[in-house]
Amino acid sequence: MNMGKNLTKSIPLIAGNWKMNMLSAGAKQLAGAVVKGAERLHSEIVLCPPSPLLGEVRTCLEHSKVALGAQDCHFQNEGAFTGDTSPALLKDIGCTYTIVGHSERRAYHQEDDTLIAKKAAAAHAVGLSTILCIGETEKERSDGKTLHVIASQLEKAIPASTTVKNCVLAYEPVWAIGTGKVAGIADIAEVHAFIAAKLPRLSGIRILYGGSVKAANAKEILATPHVNGVLVGGASLKAEEFLGIAEAAE
Ligand code: 13P
């Protein structure tokens, strides 16, 4: 019996992070195809397009079971923050989720755990749910520091406003993102069990895996104890591949 899964009893979340990809025509096509394919599925499905495409994708998702998510948000709801998007606006235009703390934001925009906690708290305050990302670099893993890094990120990046309802965690080992190198099932199981054990106050919180997930490896990953869904990058840009991943959760 798969105890990990039975203990958590959650609906899997299959989230597509389109990153900085897609133009409007392709986005509409992709979102439309996902909506159609999702009708027969039981998982929760979320699409996270680039900010300027949120309105357009929202229109495609209307009256469907596919939710809309952003890829990032600011920690203030208004002000002189050129180029940023507020949680209040994301909520207003129909987002249910926002990703925070993605490793690409950490690496290219110098975001640290303190800032990520502020963003998550601001998102929660307006009623958005967060997909809060954590994960170690290749060097941290080879130095044997994976669990230490994860513990520190959990301690600092999760604000007090977090509940099992308004937050999903995503374990994304940095070295597995966009590289085709998937973490071993034993490694995924170890980190996910560690995360679950570290958060007794958030018992039952969903924990996604992310990093080179595709239709061909999704079933095995989704069957791992304490894996409650996946956060998909590259493979979410093709409807068939993304739906194949969602099918694997059925
Ligand atoms: P890939 O699926 O392209 O490896 O990206 C994972 C990711 O970063 C999702 O947020």
Side-chain angles (χ1 to χ4, degrees):
M1 188 167 64
N2 187 338
M3 280 304 287
K5 266 212 133 90
N6 291 342
L7 278 174
T8 50
K9 268 200 199 101
S10 55
I11 298 174
L13 176 64
I14 312 296
N17 174 9
W18 293 0
K19 307 194 179 181
M20 199 176 74
N21 294 295
M22 288 286 156
L23 301 178
S24 63
K28 279 193 262 188
Q29 225 170 25
L30 177 56
V34 170
V35 163
K36 203 148 180 284
E39 280 167 14
R40 60 179 190 279
L41 302 174
H42 301 96
S43 298
E44 191 183 351
I45 297 179
V46 184
L47 298 182
C48 304
S51 287
L53 293 176
L54 283 168
E56 212 142 343
V57 172
R58 196 249 341 240
T59 307
C60 301
L61 304 186
E62 254 160 35
H63 310 300
S64 84
K65 50 179 293 186
V66 180
L68 184 68
Q71 297 177 11
D72 181 44
C73 67
H74 198 269
F75 61 87
Q76 299 274 23
N77 278 324
E78 57 185 10
F81 300 105
T82 303
D84 282 312
T85 310
S86 73
L89 176 58
L90 295 177
K91 177 76 179 164
D92 184 52
I93 63 165
C95 289
T96 310
Y97 283 95
T98 182
I99 297 172
V100 289
H102 193 281
S103 66
E104 287 147 17
R105 301 290 316 171
R106 292 173 184 261
Y108 307 138
H109 298 269
Q110 292 74 46
E111 296 196 5
D112 63 11
D113 290 313
T114 309
L115 176 62
I116 292 157
K118 281 168 81 172
K119 290 183 173 204
H124 296 155
V126 299
L128 283 173
S129 293
T130 46
I131 300 174
L132 196 155
C133 304
I134 53 174
E136 81 286 2
T137 62
E138 188 151 40
K139 168 109 177 51
E140 287 162 346
R141 175 158 284 268
S142 62
D143 287 350
K145 292 190 184 143
T146 298
L147 298 182
H148 175 77
V149 168
I150 298 293
S152 160
Q153 290 173 337
L154 292 175
E155 201 178 302
K156 297 183 198 143
I158 298 182
S161 58
T162 305
T163 69
V164 296
K165 290 218 171 91
N166 70 15
C167 185
V168 178
L169 299 171
Y171 169 55
E172 297 204 307
V174 179
W175 49 273
I177 294 176
T179 58
K181 284 194 237 167
V182 191
I185 293 296
D187 293 334
I188 297 174
E190 182 192 29
V191 175
H192 279 239
F194 178 78
I195 294 169
K198 269 273 165 205
L199 300 171
R201 182 181 80 77
L202 298 172
S203 162
I205 194 167
R206 288 186 291 180
I207 310 169
L208 315 183
Y209 168 79
S212 299
V213 177
K214 39 189 191 284
N217 59 26
K219 205 164 190 79
E220 198 184 12
I221 292 169
L222 285 161
T224 307
H226 296 291
V227 173
N228 311 109
V230 284
L231 180 55
V232 186
S236 71
L237 300 174
K238 294 210 169 81
E240 205 178 312
E241 188 68 18
F242 185 61
L243 289 166
I245 293 168
E247 297 268 6
E250 292 292 293

mmCIF file of all heavy atoms in Angstrom, residues 15-19 99 102-104 131 133 170 172-174 176-181 209-214 230-236 245, ligand 1:
data_model
loop_
_atom_site.group_PDB
_atom_site.id
_atom_site.type_symbol
_atom_site.label_atom_id
_atom_site.label_comp_id
_atom_site.label_asym_id
_atom_site.label_seq_id
_atom_site.Cartn_x
_atom_site.Cartn_y
_atom_site.Cartn_z
ATOM 1 N N ALA A 15 0.547 21.827 -12.600
ATOM 2 C CA ALA A 15 0.706 23.248 -12.931
ATOM 3 C C ALA A 15 1.686 23.416 -14.080
ATOM 4 O O ALA A 15 2.760 22.810 -14.088
ATOM 5 C CB ALA A 15 1.192 24.016 -11.703
ATOM 6 N N GLY A 16 1.300 24.238 -15.049
ATOM 7 C CA GLY A 16 2.171 24.533 -16.186
ATOM 8 C C GLY A 16 2.752 25.927 -16.048
ATOM 9 O O GLY A 16 2.006 26.911 -16.000
ATOM 10 N N ASN A 17 4.055 26.004 -15.939
ATOM 11 C CA ASN A 17 4.754 27.294 -15.862
ATOM 12 C C ASN A 17 5.340 27.572 -17.246
ATOM 13 O O ASN A 17 6.337 26.975 -17.623
ATOM 14 C CB ASN A 17 5.857 27.201 -14.795
ATOM 15 C CG ASN A 17 6.725 28.442 -14.743
ATOM 16 O OD1 ASN A 17 6.416 29.453 -15.374
ATOM 17 N ND2 ASN A 17 7.815 28.366 -13.986
ATOM 18 N N TRP A 18 4.673 28.471 -17.955
ATOM 19 C CA TRP A 18 5.102 28.734 -19.332
ATOM 20 C C TRP A 18 6.374 29.569 -19.400
ATOM 21 O O TRP A 18 6.939 29.762 -20.476
ATOM 22 C CB TRP A 18 3.988 29.448 -20.111
ATOM 23 C CG TRP A 18 2.755 28.628 -20.355
ATOM 24 C CD1 TRP A 18 2.526 27.329 -19.959
ATOM 25 C CD2 TRP A 18 1.574 29.035 -21.062
ATOM 26 N NE1 TRP A 18 1.277 26.924 -20.375
ATOM 27 C CE2 TRP A 18 0.673 27.943 -21.056
ATOM 28 C CE3 TRP A 18 1.180 30.220 -21.694
ATOM 29 C CZ2 TRP A 18 -0.587 28.014 -21.662
ATOM 30 C CZ3 TRP A 18 -0.075 30.288 -22.300
ATOM 31 C CH2 TRP A 18 -0.942 29.191 -22.283
ATOM 32 N N LYS A 19 6.797 30.125 -18.250
ATOM 33 C CA LYS A 19 7.991 30.997 -18.198
ATOM 34 C C LYS A 19 7.865 32.104 -19.249
ATOM 35 O O LYS A 19 6.751 32.566 -19.505
ATOM 36 C CB LYS A 19 9.255 30.150 -18.356
ATOM 37 C CG LYS A 19 9.283 28.988 -17.355
ATOM 38 C CD LYS A 19 10.601 28.324 -17.226
ATOM 39 C CE LYS A 19 10.500 27.210 -16.192
ATOM 40 N NZ LYS A 19 11.763 26.514 -15.979
ATOM 41 N N ILE A 99 2.906 31.789 -8.570
ATOM 42 C CA ILE A 99 4.175 31.158 -8.176
ATOM 43 C C ILE A 99 4.980 32.225 -7.428
ATOM 44 O O ILE A 99 4.940 33.396 -7.794
ATOM 45 C CB ILE A 99 4.957 30.710 -9.432
ATOM 46 C CG1 ILE A 99 4.170 29.647 -10.218
ATOM 47 C CG2 ILE A 99 6.346 30.194 -9.063
ATOM 48 C CD1 ILE A 99 4.788 29.288 -11.585
ATOM 49 N N HIS A 102 10.463 31.091 -7.458
ATOM 50 C CA HIS A 102 11.034 30.192 -8.463
ATOM 51 C C HIS A 102 12.549 30.393 -8.523
ATOM 52 O O HIS A 102 13.042 31.511 -8.366
ATOM 53 C CB HIS A 102 10.400 30.450 -9.836
ATOM 54 C CG HIS A 102 10.714 29.366 -10.812
ATOM 55 N ND1 HIS A 102 11.922 29.302 -11.461
ATOM 56 C CD2 HIS A 102 10.001 28.284 -11.211
ATOM 57 C CE1 HIS A 102 11.927 28.214 -12.236
ATOM 58 N NE2 HIS A 102 10.774 27.578 -12.089
ATOM 59 N N SER A 103 13.274 29.330 -8.797
ATOM 60 C CA SER A 103 14.747 29.431 -8.755
ATOM 61 C C SER A 103 15.269 30.406 -9.816
ATOM 62 O O SER A 103 16.345 30.976 -9.647
ATOM 63 C CB SER A 103 15.388 28.061 -8.944
ATOM 64 O OG SER A 103 15.126 27.575 -10.234
ATOM 65 N N GLU A 104 14.487 30.603 -10.895
ATOM 66 C CA GLU A 104 14.937 31.575 -11.898
ATOM 67 C C GLU A 104 14.791 32.999 -11.368
ATOM 68 O O GLU A 104 15.584 33.873 -11.709
ATOM 69 C CB GLU A 104 14.170 31.354 -13.217
ATOM 70 C CG GLU A 104 14.665 30.084 -13.911
ATOM 71 C CD GLU A 104 13.621 29.321 -14.699
ATOM 72 O OE1 GLU A 104 12.560 29.882 -15.022
ATOM 73 O OE2 GLU A 104 13.876 28.132 -14.994
ATOM 74 N N ILE A 131 2.191 29.039 -5.084
ATOM 75 C CA ILE A 131 2.996 27.852 -5.383
ATOM 76 C C ILE A 131 4.413 28.288 -5.030
ATOM 77 O O ILE A 131 5.043 29.056 -5.763
ATOM 78 C CB ILE A 131 2.879 27.448 -6.866
ATOM 79 C CG1 ILE A 131 1.423 27.118 -7.229
ATOM 80 C CG2 ILE A 131 3.800 26.255 -7.165
ATOM 81 C CD1 ILE A 131 1.184 26.835 -8.711
ATOM 82 N N CYS A 133 8.242 27.911 -4.325
ATOM 83 C CA CYS A 133 9.291 26.997 -4.811
ATOM 84 C C CYS A 133 10.541 27.000 -3.927
ATOM 85 O O CYS A 133 10.998 28.052 -3.476
ATOM 86 C CB CYS A 133 9.724 27.396 -6.217
ATOM 87 S SG CYS A 133 8.379 27.455 -7.406
ATOM 88 N N ALA A 170 6.575 23.636 -3.947
ATOM 89 C CA ALA A 170 7.107 22.940 -5.123
ATOM 90 C C ALA A 170 8.599 22.710 -4.913
ATOM 91 O O ALA A 170 9.374 23.673 -4.784
ATOM 92 C CB ALA A 170 6.875 23.768 -6.382
ATOM 93 N N GLU A 172 11.809 21.926 -6.475
ATOM 94 C CA GLU A 172 12.407 21.941 -7.803
ATOM 95 C C GLU A 172 13.932 21.999 -7.664
ATOM 96 O O GLU A 172 14.497 23.094 -7.477
ATOM 97 C CB GLU A 172 11.932 23.161 -8.600
ATOM 98 C CG GLU A 172 10.445 23.191 -8.862
ATOM 99 C CD GLU A 172 10.083 24.022 -10.097
ATOM 100 O OE1 GLU A 172 10.492 25.189 -10.185
ATOM 101 O OE2 GLU A 172 9.426 23.479 -10.975
ATOM 102 N N PRO A 173 14.600 20.848 -7.725
ATOM 103 C CA PRO A 173 16.065 20.892 -7.663
ATOM 104 C C PRO A 173 16.577 21.702 -8.857
ATOM 105 O O PRO A 173 16.193 21.425 -9.994
ATOM 106 C CB PRO A 173 16.484 19.423 -7.784
ATOM 107 C CG PRO A 173 15.235 18.617 -7.953
ATOM 108 C CD PRO A 173 14.049 19.517 -7.937
ATOM 109 N N VAL A 174 17.371 22.715 -8.580
ATOM 110 C CA VAL A 174 17.763 23.675 -9.626
ATOM 111 C C VAL A 174 18.433 22.963 -10.805
ATOM 112 O O VAL A 174 18.200 23.291 -11.962
ATOM 113 C CB VAL A 174 18.686 24.759 -9.030
ATOM 114 C CG1 VAL A 174 19.135 25.748 -10.103
ATOM 115 C CG2 VAL A 174 17.970 25.508 -7.902
ATOM 116 N N ALA A 176 17.841 20.176 -12.025
ATOM 117 C CA ALA A 176 16.924 19.344 -12.824
ATOM 118 C C ALA A 176 16.016 20.195 -13.716
ATOM 119 O O ALA A 176 15.267 19.665 -14.521
ATOM 120 C CB ALA A 176 16.062 18.486 -11.896
ATOM 121 N N ILE A 177 16.099 21.515 -13.564
ATOM 122 C CA ILE A 177 15.192 22.405 -14.303
ATOM 123 C C ILE A 177 15.709 22.650 -15.714
ATOM 124 O O ILE A 177 16.816 23.180 -15.899
ATOM 125 C CB ILE A 177 15.015 23.747 -13.555
ATOM 126 C CG1 ILE A 177 14.286 23.505 -12.235
ATOM 127 C CG2 ILE A 177 14.261 24.751 -14.423
ATOM 128 C CD1 ILE A 177 14.130 24.730 -11.367
ATOM 129 N N GLY A 178 14.935 22.242 -16.689
ATOM 130 C CA GLY A 178 15.268 22.501 -18.087
ATOM 131 C C GLY A 178 16.497 21.758 -18.581
ATOM 132 O O GLY A 178 17.038 22.072 -19.632
ATOM 133 N N THR A 179 16.948 20.770 -17.829
ATOM 134 C CA THR A 179 18.179 20.069 -18.193
ATOM 135 C C THR A 179 17.922 18.664 -18.724
ATOM 136 O O THR A 179 18.830 18.040 -19.279
ATOM 137 C CB THR A 179 19.087 19.912 -16.953
ATOM 138 O OG1 THR A 179 18.346 19.191 -15.954
ATOM 139 C CG2 THR A 179 19.511 21.257 -16.397
ATOM 140 N N GLY A 180 16.704 18.175 -18.532
ATOM 141 C CA GLY A 180 16.416 16.788 -18.900
ATOM 142 C C GLY A 180 16.901 15.805 -17.834
ATOM 143 O O GLY A 180 16.653 14.609 -17.919
ATOM 144 N N LYS A 181 17.577 16.316 -16.808
ATOM 145 C CA LYS A 181 18.055 15.447 -15.712
ATOM 146 C C LYS A 181 17.006 15.426 -14.611
ATOM 147 O O LYS A 181 16.876 16.392 -13.851
ATOM 148 C CB LYS A 181 19.321 16.049 -15.072
ATOM 149 C CG LYS A 181 20.576 15.897 -15.863
ATOM 150 C CD LYS A 181 21.755 16.225 -14.947
ATOM 151 C CE LYS A 181 22.606 17.333 -15.515
ATOM 152 N NZ LYS A 181 23.562 17.899 -14.568
ATOM 153 N N TYR A 209 6.514 18.216 -7.288
ATOM 154 C CA TYR A 209 7.887 18.070 -7.780
ATOM 155 C C TYR A 209 7.985 18.821 -9.109
ATOM 156 O O TYR A 209 7.042 18.792 -9.919
ATOM 157 C CB TYR A 209 8.272 16.596 -7.995
ATOM 158 C CG TYR A 209 9.569 16.498 -8.768
ATOM 159 C CD1 TYR A 209 10.786 16.694 -8.120
ATOM 160 C CD2 TYR A 209 9.571 16.324 -10.158
ATOM 161 C CE1 TYR A 209 11.974 16.695 -8.843
ATOM 162 C CE2 TYR A 209 10.756 16.323 -10.877
ATOM 163 C CZ TYR A 209 11.956 16.518 -10.210
ATOM 164 O OH TYR A 209 13.127 16.542 -10.912
ATOM 165 N N GLY A 210 9.108 19.463 -9.350
ATOM 166 C CA GLY A 210 9.342 20.104 -10.649
ATOM 167 C C GLY A 210 10.775 19.919 -11.086
ATOM 168 O O GLY A 210 11.704 19.905 -10.266
ATOM 169 N N GLY A 211 10.969 19.767 -12.375
ATOM 170 C CA GLY A 211 12.314 19.594 -12.943
ATOM 171 C C GLY A 211 12.308 18.495 -13.976
ATOM 172 O O GLY A 211 12.338 17.318 -13.630
ATOM 173 N N SER A 212 12.209 18.904 -15.274
ATOM 174 C CA SER A 212 12.244 17.957 -16.394
ATOM 175 C C SER A 212 11.151 16.883 -16.339
ATOM 176 O O SER A 212 11.374 15.746 -16.746
ATOM 177 C CB SER A 212 13.635 17.316 -16.505
ATOM 178 O OG SER A 212 14.615 18.315 -16.744
ATOM 179 N N VAL A 213 9.980 17.283 -15.824
ATOM 180 C CA VAL A 213 8.850 16.345 -15.843
ATOM 181 C C VAL A 213 8.286 16.289 -17.267
ATOM 182 O O VAL A 213 8.128 17.315 -17.926
ATOM 183 C CB VAL A 213 7.728 16.798 -14.872
ATOM 184 C CG1 VAL A 213 6.522 15.858 -14.957
ATOM 185 C CG2 VAL A 213 8.252 16.872 -13.452
ATOM 186 N N LYS A 214 8.018 15.092 -17.741
ATOM 187 C CA LYS A 214 7.343 14.926 -19.024
ATOM 188 C C LYS A 214 6.369 13.755 -18.918
ATOM 189 O O LYS A 214 6.349 13.063 -17.890
ATOM 190 C CB LYS A 214 8.349 14.747 -20.168
ATOM 191 C CG LYS A 214 9.573 13.916 -19.872
ATOM 192 C CD LYS A 214 10.542 14.048 -21.043
ATOM 193 C CE LYS A 214 11.659 13.037 -20.952
ATOM 194 N NZ LYS A 214 12.690 13.344 -19.986
ATOM 195 N N VAL A 230 2.735 18.096 -9.877
ATOM 196 C CA VAL A 230 3.990 18.490 -10.530
ATOM 197 C C VAL A 230 3.894 19.923 -11.049
ATOM 198 O O VAL A 230 2.811 20.402 -11.393
ATOM 199 C CB VAL A 230 4.356 17.538 -11.705
ATOM 200 C CG1 VAL A 230 4.909 16.226 -11.185
ATOM 201 C CG2 VAL A 230 3.166 17.283 -12.621
ATOM 202 N N LEU A 231 5.043 20.575 -11.084
ATOM 203 C CA LEU A 231 5.167 21.912 -11.680
ATOM 204 C C LEU A 231 6.022 21.730 -12.930
ATOM 205 O O LEU A 231 7.180 21.312 -12.848
ATOM 206 C CB LEU A 231 5.817 22.875 -10.675
ATOM 207 C CG LEU A 231 6.038 24.326 -11.126
ATOM 208 C CD1 LEU A 231 4.747 24.974 -11.615
ATOM 209 C CD2 LEU A 231 6.605 25.152 -9.948
ATOM 210 N N VAL A 232 5.399 22.000 -14.073
ATOM 211 C CA VAL A 232 5.998 21.620 -15.353
ATOM 212 C C VAL A 232 6.404 22.854 -16.144
ATOM 213 O O VAL A 232 5.596 23.772 -16.323
ATOM 214 C CB VAL A 232 4.960 20.814 -16.179
ATOM 215 C CG1 VAL A 232 5.589 20.278 -17.456
ATOM 216 C CG2 VAL A 232 4.370 19.684 -15.347
ATOM 217 N N GLY A 233 7.634 22.883 -16.633
ATOM 218 C CA GLY A 233 8.098 23.985 -17.469
ATOM 219 C C GLY A 233 7.955 23.645 -18.936
ATOM 220 O O GLY A 233 6.869 23.690 -19.515
ATOM 221 N N GLY A 234 9.062 23.232 -19.560
ATOM 222 C CA GLY A 234 9.110 22.978 -20.998
ATOM 223 C C GLY A 234 7.975 22.119 -21.529
ATOM 224 O O GLY A 234 7.376 22.435 -22.570
ATOM 225 N N ALA A 235 7.641 21.056 -20.819
ATOM 226 C CA ALA A 235 6.612 20.124 -21.323
ATOM 227 C C ALA A 235 5.202 20.704 -21.204
ATOM 228 O O ALA A 235 4.249 20.107 -21.713
ATOM 229 C CB ALA A 235 6.702 18.792 -20.573
ATOM 230 N N SER A 236 5.060 21.876 -20.575
ATOM 231 C CA SER A 236 3.714 22.473 -20.498
ATOM 232 C C SER A 236 3.420 23.326 -21.727
ATOM 233 O O SER A 236 2.324 23.853 -21.877
ATOM 234 C CB SER A 236 3.566 23.325 -19.226
ATOM 235 O OG SER A 236 4.319 24.517 -19.319
ATOM 236 N N ILE A 245 0.881 14.349 -19.035
ATOM 237 C CA ILE A 245 1.336 14.408 -17.639
ATOM 238 C C ILE A 245 0.125 14.372 -16.702
ATOM 239 O O ILE A 245 0.097 13.624 -15.716
ATOM 240 C CB ILE A 245 2.187 15.679 -17.399
ATOM 241 C CG1 ILE A 245 3.493 15.583 -18.184
ATOM 242 C CG2 ILE A 245 2.450 15.895 -15.917
ATOM 243 C CD1 ILE A 245 4.290 16.883 -18.266
HETATM 244 P P1 13P B 1 11.262 22.162 -16.754
HETATM 245 O O1 13P B 1 10.033 21.308 -16.659
HETATM 246 O O2 13P B 1 11.427 22.821 -18.102
HETATM 247 O O3 13P B 1 12.490 21.440 -16.296
HETATM 248 O O4 13P B 1 11.053 23.388 -15.741
HETATM 249 C C1 13P B 1 10.658 23.118 -14.445
HETATM 250 C C2 13P B 1 10.285 24.396 -13.812
HETATM 251 O O5 13P B 1 11.113 25.242 -13.556
HETATM 252 C C3 13P B 1 8.855 24.618 -13.531
HETATM 253 O O6 13P B 1 8.678 25.734 -12.718
#
